[in-house]
Amino acid sequence: MKTSAKKRTMRALGLAAILILGLFATAQAKVDGLYNGANPTFNLTAATGYIVGGDGAVLHIWGLSPQGGPVQYPAPTLIIPQGSTVTVNLTNQLAEPVSLVFPGQTNVQATGGIEGLVTREAVPGGTVTYTFTAATPGTFMYQSGSNMALQIEMGLAGAIIVRPAGFAIPGNMTAYGTADTAYDQEILYFQSEMDHRIHEKVDSGQASLVDLTTWFPYYWFYNGRNAPDVFSAAGVPWLPNQPYDCFPHLLPGQKMLLRIVGAGRDMHPFHHHGNSATLIAVDGQVLESTPGSNNPDLGEVLFTQPVLPGQTRDVIFSWNGNELGFDIYGHVATDPILEVEVFAAATLQDPLAETDTGVNVAAPSQGAFPKRRAFRAVLTSGLATDPAREVVVLRMDDPAQPNILTVVKRGQEGTTTPASWPANTSAVIGTYHGQIFAGPADNRFPVTLPDQKDLTMGAFYSGSPFLGAMGTLPPGEGGFNLNNGLAFMWHSHSEKELTNNNIFPGGAISIAIVEPFGTTIEQSAH
Amino acid sequence: MKIYVRIRRAPRPSRLVVAAVALVLLLAQGAWAISYDLTAGAFTKTMPGGQIVTMWGYKLTGTADPFTSPGPELTVPTGETTLTVNLTNALPAGPAHSPTLHDTSIVIPGLIATGQAPVYQTIGAIPKNRMTSFDRVATPGGGAVTYTFQNVRPGSYLYMSGSNPALQVEMGLYGPAKRLAAPGQAYAGVAFDTEATLILGEIDPAMHAAVAGGTYGTPVYPSAFDHHPKFFLVNGEPFTSTRAPVFVGAANQTVLLRILNAGLQIHVPATTGAYMTVVGEDSYEKDHPRRQLALMLAPQKRLDVTMTVPDGKTLIYDRTLDVVNANIAGPGGMMVFLQSGAAPIPTCRGDLNQNGQVDASDLQIFLDSPEFGRSNCTVSAPCATDYNGDGRVNMRDLRLINSWVGTCPAPAAAVVEPAASSGAPALSRGGKPPLNGDFDGNGSVDHKDLRLMLDAVDDPACAAGDCAADLNGDGKIDTADLALFKAAMLASGKKGKK
Ligand SMILES: [Cu+2]
């Protein structure tokens, strides 16, 4: 379960924060779990244990422990190569019969144990064996099939990730084996809740007093932890029964696969700030018009994911800052334009004449530009590295004529009458590249940051609007954002769930960090 | 009674048209409508744990059928597009503080009744003109209204009360309706082999008690705002260990499931195994059916789902985990098994846990079953434990299963009711005070006394009032006496231990 050695990208100020906050300086986007190769056997034991809430509360749980390991909340994530025949031996150290079901898996067989309501069960002290074929790739769940209302609440549920054939880290990271399901980073969001009053009764031998119809949760978990514990690294020794973290990191322009699992009883509106994202699969089934193609051409672009109980969702998120309105990368106009900085581009249909008040762009990219609003663009010879470029502000006034972009402003000072267009101008690129956010040298975008005395700092604030740059911070501020990335809260929009037993902040909060280029991000081991 | 009527000629259906005539009419071309006569009324239901709740439901008017919730399924034939419902209100009168509370109506979300006319009333602590019914109301005591729904598309529908619906639908006034695109097709080209309807519902017994006691709408139970359900139903029943599976025919066929939510909460029908394919939603076909393991089913939502059901049992359950019965430990609530393969035949009659013989645990299951106490078993809504087939599950059936303990009677064999032990001296009151359960006078109240008590069920002496087994002396031996007996048996056991 122990993760490999942490790659630490610390800076002097960050180190102080680490010592105070007990935070490992890692940049990670990975899914931890049990990996036993092809055709694996997992030996799991159902047992009682205790976890720690985000408020320090000690909470009684029923979980599964991998062979020789501590009992886990949630149950271990099983990482399985596609096509495997999987064997799960479940040993029961609880006081009531327990079983497991594997929705979405094929050819599930149960042997041993006793016959239960839904599947064969292990009696206290006994063992039951399940086999199934992990026939198709995707994100799935496994959970108790016995006394479900109580046992799933107590913690008997976990995620299953089936890797597609040919999967490799790095080199061939896809969710479903196809180009449009490829990703650069991945993260698990296993969502659950807890009514601790039930757990207290069970812990004190009063399970018979539990009335599950009065269930009312007080704790909300991502990967078995409440905020702020989600930010501590996976496998930290002070959370022995909650080995998984939830702290996604990605670089600008990268694709991040979110594997979201609704393991609790309530629907949670999961909101990934920063950008909308594409839902490519539900319950391990790609949203496809051609059955079996695993090509997510019916994917849905959503800003909030309604995560149903019992549902899994695979979502691809990306962020690149290309339409922020300023250059978050801190470039100057003559720097090379990066692909992620471009929100639209097209070649010109005709050469520009000095008297032109608009540019005429060629098909097929003409519709890619924003409609009916001014945007910043550069006119170049078509080479992104060509320093001979003109900064303009354009607007598509009539979406029915997407080839005509009216020139609203020209030139560094915003005049509309420069001496001449740059030589060999042949392309227009929509970008905020080189647009300075603030500073005395540039009065086109006059922003002065408020005085520090007027600010409340967040643990993720770098003090600078630029990616990778650190501003001046009061002592002790920042610290959770060691590489000065951009932080977005990814959270439940049932806002009361952002609490630990009625105390804000906590619960279903996580932070995604867009790290500056050059940051090394640790990836899944398998 | 199900009848067909020619729209252009007869706005009111004739109750004399018989089914055979209707079939002929159905085959003829022309604008024909199907008509159903429904009566809304109250009944009682025994919940797991023994609690008896007042329910409201429907039956086909003029029949001897019991009221049920959900009500009878209304099928609009493939060739029809008009559905007429003649509603009669046989509910008890509303309480004095809110006399229109039990006025009722029928609405079918997705369809509009011809001439729909909402009802407004000036009511409430702060008098305001409020809508109390989405359509014209039938008043208690036999009031009647006809609702005509035209342009019925293929799909699944939920009919329900449109009057004070937060109350009346929860009380049980809902049922399924459907129309096929063609025989064996849910929508054009969406084929299936067999179909089943699963309607979800909830019961808050406190709300039902308030309605029965006339205190709904008072500080005792002000409104559905206080709704906290304790029982979660599929097709009107919570799951218990004796719940019969829904038989869906041979294995690996395509089963069409019509899943409707008549409850007040979101539920998530889910499977633990095979995928469900959502082919329709709210009576509209899906362009791109999705294969899912869990379905979002908001209140009033209607989903059409196809599923290949493998041999044996397949669980459909609510993944919001409303799969308990009140505070009773263990599985219950919103769960049902689909069963495919050969129709299930129990090995022995009365072997409720199917362990090969009738024993004490089967007696316990019998007594705990929500069927115990039912008096409205019919062919369409049968009771598995109505052993003597009299439409009731009562002390007589208990006596039967009790007499089978230790044996394995063939399910097909004729049921012979044990003769009453008429005149059994130990059971005569003979002017003496009741024996409080120790009928054989051996000093303890035990299973031997239960046998004597059950044997006295048909004893004429009991009807005459001279019967020690009639512990409460009301002239019959019933569940009330059984409850007294149980208490006496428990007390006797405690004494014995001292
Ligand atoms: Cu948000």
Side-chain angles (χ1 to χ4, degrees):
Chain A
M1 295 321 300
K2 199 73 184 132
T3 58
S4 58
K6 311 289 184 234
K7 295 184 181 70
R8 302 180 188 202
T9 48
M10 298 180 187
R11 55 190 167 85
L13 192 64
L15 186 60
I18 290 159
L19 296 174
I20 294 162
L21 298 164
L23 179 80
F24 280 102
T26 57
Q28 307 177 327
K30 61 188 180 73
V31 175
D32 296 293
L34 300 182
Y35 178 79
N36 291 342
N39 301 317
T41 295
F42 299 104
N43 296 314
L44 304 174
T45 300
T48 66
Y50 294 90
I51 63 168
V52 182
D55 57 351
V58 175
L59 303 164
H60 179 67
I61 55 111
W62 296 355
L64 294 179
S65 69
Q67 203 162 32
V71 65
Q72 292 187 14
Y73 182 87
T77 300
L78 309 181
I79 302 174
I80 300 166
Q82 181 183 359
S84 288
T85 299
V86 183
T87 304
V88 176
N89 296 312
L90 172 66
T91 301
N92 185 4
Q93 289 181 359
L94 298 171
E96 66 177 61
V98 68
S99 63
L100 292 173
V101 292
F102 303 88
Q105 305 300 336
T106 53
N107 196 25
V108 182
Q109 306 284 336
T111 54
I114 57 162
E115 190 182 337
L117 187 64
V118 180
T119 182
R120 297 194 73 82
E121 300 176 327
V123 295
T127 298
V128 64
T129 297
Y130 305 97
T131 59
F132 62 86
T133 307
T136 57
T139 307
F140 302 93
M141 184 167 28
Y142 68 112
Q143 64 179 46
S144 167
S146 304
N147 199 9
M148 288 190 284
L150 181 65
Q151 293 194 4
I152 294 172
E153 163 71 17
M154 292 304 293
L156 293 175
I160 290 177
I161 292 172
V162 180
R163 299 296 195 192
F167 180 85
I169 304 172
N172 190 16
M173 295 188 291
T174 70
Y176 290 90
T178 51
D180 286 345
T181 66
Y183 61 84
D184 303 296
Q185 312 291 348
E186 70 174 330
I187 189 84
L188 177 70
Y189 271 89
F190 189 93
Q191 308 190 353
S192 61
E193 325 97 5
M194 189 181 287
D195 179 347
H196 65 286
R197 301 167 308 169
I198 291 170
H199 296 242
E200 285 165 3
K201 286 200 176 77
V202 171
D203 193 18
S204 58
Q206 296 178 301
S208 63
L209 298 182
V210 170
D211 180 349
L212 285 155
T213 68
T214 63
W215 179 83
F216 190 86
Y218 288 79
Y219 292 91
W220 292 269
F221 299 85
Y222 287 156
N223 300 343
R225 293 184 186 174
N226 304 131
D229 293 336
V230 288
F231 306 123
S232 294
V236 291
W238 60 87
L239 294 168
N241 303 101
Q242 296 150 281
Y244 303 145
D245 64 345
C246 189
F247 197 6
H249 299 256
L250 73 162
L251 299 181
Q254 285 192 329
K255 289 178 177 172
M256 169 166 270
L257 174 68
L258 283 67
R259 299 180 181 272
I260 309 172
V261 181
R265 297 181 64 172
D266 278 340
M267 190 277 284
H268 302 290
F270 176 66
H271 183 212
H272 33 72
H273 275 257
N275 205 351
S276 47
T278 307
L279 175 69
I280 60 164
V282 170
D283 297 345
Q285 297 288 307
V286 174
L287 306 184
E288 58 194 10
S289 62
T290 308
S293 68
N294 282 352
N295 172 31
D297 57 336
L298 298 177
E300 292 180 354
V301 178
L302 297 170
F303 203 37
T304 297
Q305 306 287 337
V307 183
L308 276 193
Q311 183 185 63
T312 70
R313 300 170 83 87
D314 293 304
V315 172
I316 289 184
F317 175 94
S318 190
W319 189 93
N320 54 29
N322 60 16
E323 277 200 89
L324 269 186
F326 70 101
D327 187 338
I328 194 170
Y329 308 104
H331 292 128
V332 298
T334 50
D335 285 346
I337 299 176
L338 304 175
E339 196 184 322
V340 298
E341 296 180 284
V342 176
F343 56 81
T347 53
L348 298 187
Q349 219 161 45
D350 333 296
L352 279 170
E354 284 310 322
T355 52
D356 284 353
T357 58
V359 298
N360 197 359
V361 297
S365 306
Q366 49 192 210
F369 291 94
K371 295 168 180 60
R372 290 200 192 91
R373 70 173 169 83
F375 60 92
R376 190 173 181 275
V378 294
L379 296 163
T380 78
S381 61
L383 301 171
T385 50
D386 185 356
R389 54 174 82 120
E390 171 77 5
V391 177
V392 289
V393 175
L394 304 175
R395 184 172 59 225
M396 186 196 300
D397 288 318
D398 179 5
Q401 289 182 285
N403 57 316
I404 299 174
L405 304 174
T406 305
V407 177
V408 180
K409 284 183 184 175
R410 291 177 58 170
Q412 289 292 318
E413 303 306 319
T415 66
T416 54
T417 53
S420 65
W421 295 104
N424 305 321
T425 298
S426 61
V428 55
I429 296 173
T431 177
Y432 285 92
H433 175 86
Q435 175 79 333
I436 302 304
F437 182 76
D442 178 41
N443 57 8
R444 284 167 301 134
F445 206 99
V447 172
T448 306
L449 291 179
D451 190 274
Q452 277 195 1
K453 293 193 295 299
D454 299 327
L455 291 176
T456 300
M457 307 289 163
F460 293 90
Y461 180 48
S462 69
S464 164
F466 297 109
L467 212 54
M470 190 182 71
T472 313
L473 289 174
E477 295 294 348
F480 274 59
N481 182 2
L482 302 178
N483 306 311
N484 300 308
L486 191 63
F488 291 115
M489 183 152 88
W490 287 4
H491 66 123
S492 168
H493 250 288
S494 285
E495 304 269 340
K496 77 165 190 177
E497 299 174 353
L498 313 187
T499 54
N500 296 322
N501 201 353
N502 209 19
I503 296 168
F504 176 88
I509 294 176
S510 71
I511 300 285
I513 296 194
V514 179
E515 296 284 10
F517 293 115
T519 305
T520 303
I521 298 178
E522 185 181 348
Q523 297 192 313
S524 304
H526 300 286
Chain B
M1 175 164 22
K2 196 196 275 192
I3 52 178
Y4 296 87
V5 59
R6 175 172 250 150
I7 296 176
R8 57 180 177 266
R9 200 177 55 188
R12 257 322 261 179
S14 157
R15 290 191 168 79
L16 298 176
V17 181
V18 296
V21 176
L23 193 60
V24 173
L25 293 177
L26 173 63
L27 296 171
Q29 293 293 317
W32 299 96
I34 186 164
S35 172
Y36 287 92
D37 299 346
L38 291 182
T39 297
F43 63 101
T44 59
K45 181 177 183 62
T46 305
M47 304 311 299
Q51 190 173 9
I52 295 171
V53 296
T54 295
M55 298 289 301
W56 291 356
Y58 297 106
K59 68 170 188 169
L60 295 176
T61 304
T63 66
D65 291 351
F67 290 109
T68 59
S69 174
E73 186 163 63
L74 310 183
T75 302
V76 181
T78 299
E80 309 289 331
T81 56
T82 298
L83 166 64
T84 300
V85 179
N86 302 302
L87 174 67
T88 304
N89 186 348
L91 292 168
H97 62 80
S98 189
T100 61
L101 193 64
H102 298 190
D103 295 0
T104 192
S105 60
I106 296 269
V107 293
I108 305 179
L111 301 174
I112 297 171
T114 306
Q116 184 184 19
V119 176
Y120 296 86
Q121 286 181 272
T122 301
I123 53 169
I126 303 163
K128 273 187 181 170
N129 199 28
R130 301 163 200 262
M131 184 164 68
T132 55
S133 179
F134 299 140
D135 205 347
R136 298 143 292 177
V137 294
T139 51
V145 178
T146 294
Y147 306 90
T148 303
F149 303 93
Q150 290 176 322
N151 304 319
V152 180
R153 292 185 312 274
S156 304
Y157 297 89
L158 186 65
Y159 73 85
M160 57 188 215
S161 168
S163 308
N164 295 300
L167 166 72
Q168 295 195 1
V169 177
E170 209 278 354
M171 287 298 290
L173 292 183
Y174 59 84
K178 65 178 182 185
R179 185 183 158 225
L180 294 175
Q185 292 183 21
Y187 298 93
V190 180
F192 64 89
D193 299 312
T194 63
E195 62 174 313
T197 299
L198 306 176
I199 299 196
L200 312 186
E202 301 139 6
I203 292 176
D204 175 2
M207 185 162 168
H208 291 238
V211 169
T215 56
Y216 182 90
T218 73
V220 173
Y221 200 110
S223 77
F225 183 82
D226 299 297
H227 182 248
H228 299 293
K230 293 291 180 185
F231 296 99
F232 304 91
L233 320 171
V234 180
N235 295 347
E237 295 292 337
F239 183 83
T240 63
S241 57
T242 57
R243 173 162 205 177
V246 174
F247 187 62
V248 291
N252 299 314
Q253 295 193 106
T254 300
V255 179
L256 172 68
L257 296 177
R258 304 172 183 278
I259 312 183
L260 319 171
N261 188 355
L264 301 183
Q265 299 184 351
I266 291 174
H267 296 288
V268 178
T271 76
T272 56
Y275 277 94
M276 300 178 279
T277 303
V278 182
V279 297
E281 177 174 355
D282 293 345
S283 61
Y284 280 94
E285 184 185 353
K286 288 281 190 192
D287 288 340
H288 298 287
R290 279 189 188 173
R291 298 178 75 218
Q292 293 177 228
L293 296 166
L295 310 172
M296 169 74 163
L297 199 71
Q300 207 186 85
K301 202 87 193 144
R302 305 167 267 140
L303 291 178
D304 300 305
V305 170
T306 58
M307 193 175 177
T308 304
V309 178
D311 197 18
K313 288 180 174 176
T314 294
L315 180 68
I316 305 284
Y317 74 109
D318 174 25
R319 189 51 182 77
T320 75
L321 298 181
D322 286 331
V323 288
V324 290
N325 293 326
N327 59 355
I328 303 168
M334 220 168 247
M335 302 205 293
V336 69
F337 282 98
L338 307 178
Q339 168 119 42
S340 72
I345 301 169
T347 351
C348 2
R349 175 182 279 143
D351 180 16
L352 297 173
N353 58 5
Q354 300 198 10
N355 68 349
Q357 68 158 9
V358 183
D359 52 26
S361 57
D362 297 309
L363 277 181
Q364 194 57 51
I365 293 170
F366 177 94
L367 290 169
D368 289 344
S369 162
E371 280 191 356
F372 187 46
R374 259 186 80 173
S375 58
N376 55 1
C377 311
T378 61
V379 175
S380 58
C383 304
T385 52
D386 176 18
Y387 296 119
N388 61 3
D390 65 353
R392 299 174 161 79
V393 179
N394 57 13
M395 299 291 283
R396 285 163 174 246
D397 303 295
L398 175 60
R399 181 173 56 172
L400 278 166
I401 188 174
N402 190 47
S403 73
W404 298 333
V405 167
T407 69
C408 179
V415 173
V416 180
E417 290 202 62
S421 59
S422 181
L427 294 184
S428 170
R429 286 182 184 228
K432 286 178 274 179
L435 293 166
N436 283 334
D438 181 18
F439 306 125
D440 60 5
N442 71 350
S444 77
V445 181
D446 52 28
H447 69 281
K448 293 176 204 151
D449 299 301
L450 175 62
R451 174 67 65 96
L452 284 168
M453 178 175 171
L454 292 170
D455 283 351
V457 164
D458 282 340
D459 193 327
C462 287
D466 181 23
C467 174
D470 177 15
L471 292 172
N472 62 3
D474 65 353
K476 55 184 189 294
I477 296 172
D478 55 16
T479 50
D481 301 302
L482 188 66
L484 290 170
F485 179 84
K486 260 169 93 174
M489 192 164 72
L490 281 172
S492 168
K494 275 184 197 146
K495 270 184 234 150
K497 274 180 194 149
K498 271 183 189 167

